[in-house]
Amino acid sequence: MPQTVCSGTMFTTPSGFSPHLACAEPGEEEEAPQEGPGPGACLADGPPITSASLDTLIQNLVPTADYYPEKAYVFTFLLSARLFIPPPELLARVCELCIKQQQLDQSPLDTAKVRKFGPKILQLLTEWTETFPTDFRDEKMVGHLKDIIHRIAPCDEAYWKTLNQVLQKLSQRLALMSQGEESIVKVSLNASSISDKLVAFKTKPPPIQKDMLSICNDPYTLAQQLTHVELVRRREGRGREAWVTQRSGDQKKKTSNLEAYVRWFNRLCYLVATEICMVTKKKQRAQVIEFFIDVARECFNIGNFNSLMAIISGMNMSPVSRLKKTWGKAKTAKFFILEHQMDPTGNFYNYRTALRGAAHRSQTANSNRERIVIPFFSLLIKDIYFLNEGCANRLPNGHVNFEKFVELARQVGEFMTWKQVECPFEEDRAILHYLHTAPIFSEDGLYLASYESESPENQVEKDRWKALR
């Protein structure tokens, strides 16, 4: 069924996150924190950290002339640290430690030492700007970045050139992100406004009305274009913002991307239902049902589980599912197989198995076509929500529950990897335009069209039909 923006009240069962995570209860005894003697001990020289103080974790992030943290640690900590410290304050702490450890506030500088340290701090700052660019919408972040480079530049003027390149790429990326976010929201809002005006569309059709089959009658081609929409939407919407923006202070930005994802999912649900319900003849309606079953199957084969779930949800909406005579004319065996794959039983066990298979195929793929993995987005957010809410951020001894954030980073990082795949399918502007702008019925419009296709069968349906007319 159509979705709403996720919140704690939506979910009644926890998702399947790693059972060994430290979800501590008050009074439980904790093992001693695994803090190594030096920065490298956290991931490189010793066992993985399960918990540590925030100060220790920050220290492990700071590079030196002879040490650089593993990339997995950088991503995990930068992703999770915002729960405990705002990004500008974190960067300020990192810079302070760098200044102190490398004696960057003294004159003259140790040129040899700084030249060993300089590339490493630049690498950290580059990774930060590339992985979490929205952090740098705050001018304080850019100020800290420029300050630390200003301190090491006397030892090598090339650092300024590198910094300018980093800032230029950052500016371009933020501009593209803003454009993508605005276009996604604009299209979604336009689609919503169209549907509100079409309650009586069935009874008074315009002289010329297009339908999906007149635009595209090949299920594989439509599945490709749906995949195109999903991949572009994820690149522009920046899927990790589903986590990052929840930790920010801007309430408006917290949900804008999530709402855009939800609007697209709902639009596809309603578009599928509209395409079925607006057809007047039973035989043609059955053909439309069979067409979307085939589209859903192709989405499954491609690895586009989000569009697959939207199509299934649209076909399971009451105005469509009540069309028993129409369904009786359609070949539905494949539909029931797809429903089984997306069955929510066992916390979506069948879907999660299929997703693991697609993920494995992606890891060993030789082409972008085989690398495509588009998860059911609402369930992904649910998983992240329950992992975040189900395990404590801090243990009773005050240490950060870092093992929890390793698992969070795994889930978010996996999604980020999937969304970076370039779409291998050629864009069909006519199909994409129809997907984004075709009129769709509101819920009342769907019921009205459904009742006019197949008469109400009971008193409840008769009363509703009478009210709609």
Side-chain angles (χ1 to χ4, degrees), residues 140-253:
K140 293 179 182 178
M141 295 287 290
V142 178
H144 293 317
L145 191 153
K146 290 181 177 179
D147 177 69
I148 192 68
I149 301 304
H150 175 75
R151 292 177 181 273
I152 64 174
C155 296
D156 193 334
E157 288 296 325
Y159 295 149
W160 277 122
K161 182 179 178 180
T162 303
L163 173 63
N164 289 332
Q165 292 173 344
V166 169
L167 291 176
Q168 185 178 13
K169 290 180 180 179
L170 174 64
S171 178
Q172 293 172 349
R173 190 166 187 182
L174 288 175
L176 287 173
M177 289 177 68
S178 296
Q179 292 173 9
E181 291 163 2
E182 290 171 4
S183 64
I184 288 172
V185 173
K186 182 178 180 180
V187 168
S188 301
L189 289 174
N190 287 343
S192 298
S193 65
I194 289 172
S195 66
D196 292 339
K197 301 175 183 177
L198 294 174
V199 175
F201 191 37
K202 173 75 178 197
T203 57
K204 296 181 181 180
I208 299 177
Q209 177 185 339
K210 291 184 178 180
D211 56 42
M212 177 57 76
L213 287 174
S214 70
I215 303 296
C216 175
N217 59 9
D218 178 39
Y220 183 54
T221 299
L222 181 55
Q224 288 180 334
Q225 295 308 302
L226 289 171
T227 302
H228 193 283
V229 173
E230 297 282 1
L231 289 175
V232 171
R233 186 170 295 269
R234 273 154 176 68
R235 273 202 308 276
E236 293 179 340
R238 310 299 171 189
R240 71 179 158 274
E241 305 306 318
W243 165 256
V244 174
T245 54
Q246 288 184 59
R247 318 328 313 170
S248 70
D250 188 333
Q251 185 63 37
K252 186 175 181 180
K253 287 183 178 179

Side-chain angles (χ1 to χ4, degrees), residues 11 13-17 347-348 351-352 355 376-389 408 411:
F11 311 127
T13 58
S15 61
F17 52 80
N347 192 22
F348 288 88
Y351 158 71
R352 294 182 189 278
L355 182 65
F376 176 29
F377 188 69
S378 293
L379 187 58
L380 173 67
I381 297 303
K382 174 183 173 181
D383 288 348
I384 292 173
Y385 174 86
F386 271 109
L387 177 56
N388 186 44
E389 297 298 318
L408 268 174
Q411 293 190 19

Side-chain angles (χ1 to χ4, degrees), residues 17-25 28 30-31 33-35 48-55 57 73 76-77 79-81 83-84 243 386-409:
F17 52 80
S18 179
H20 67 275
L21 295 180
C23 303
E25 296 293 336
E28 287 186 355
E30 300 296 332
E31 295 181 2
Q34 299 180 26
E35 297 182 29
I49 284 180
T50 57
S51 67
S53 67
L54 181 60
D55 288 342
L57 294 173
Y73 179 83
T76 299
F77 186 62
L79 179 72
S80 58
L83 282 168
F84 310 99
W243 165 256
F386 271 109
L387 177 56
N388 186 44
E389 297 298 318
C391 291
N393 293 331
R394 289 186 184 271
L395 303 180
N397 63 4
H399 286 150
V400 173
N401 184 4
F402 197 69
E403 189 173 10
K404 164 186 172 176
F405 297 113
V406 169
E407 176 63 16
L408 268 174

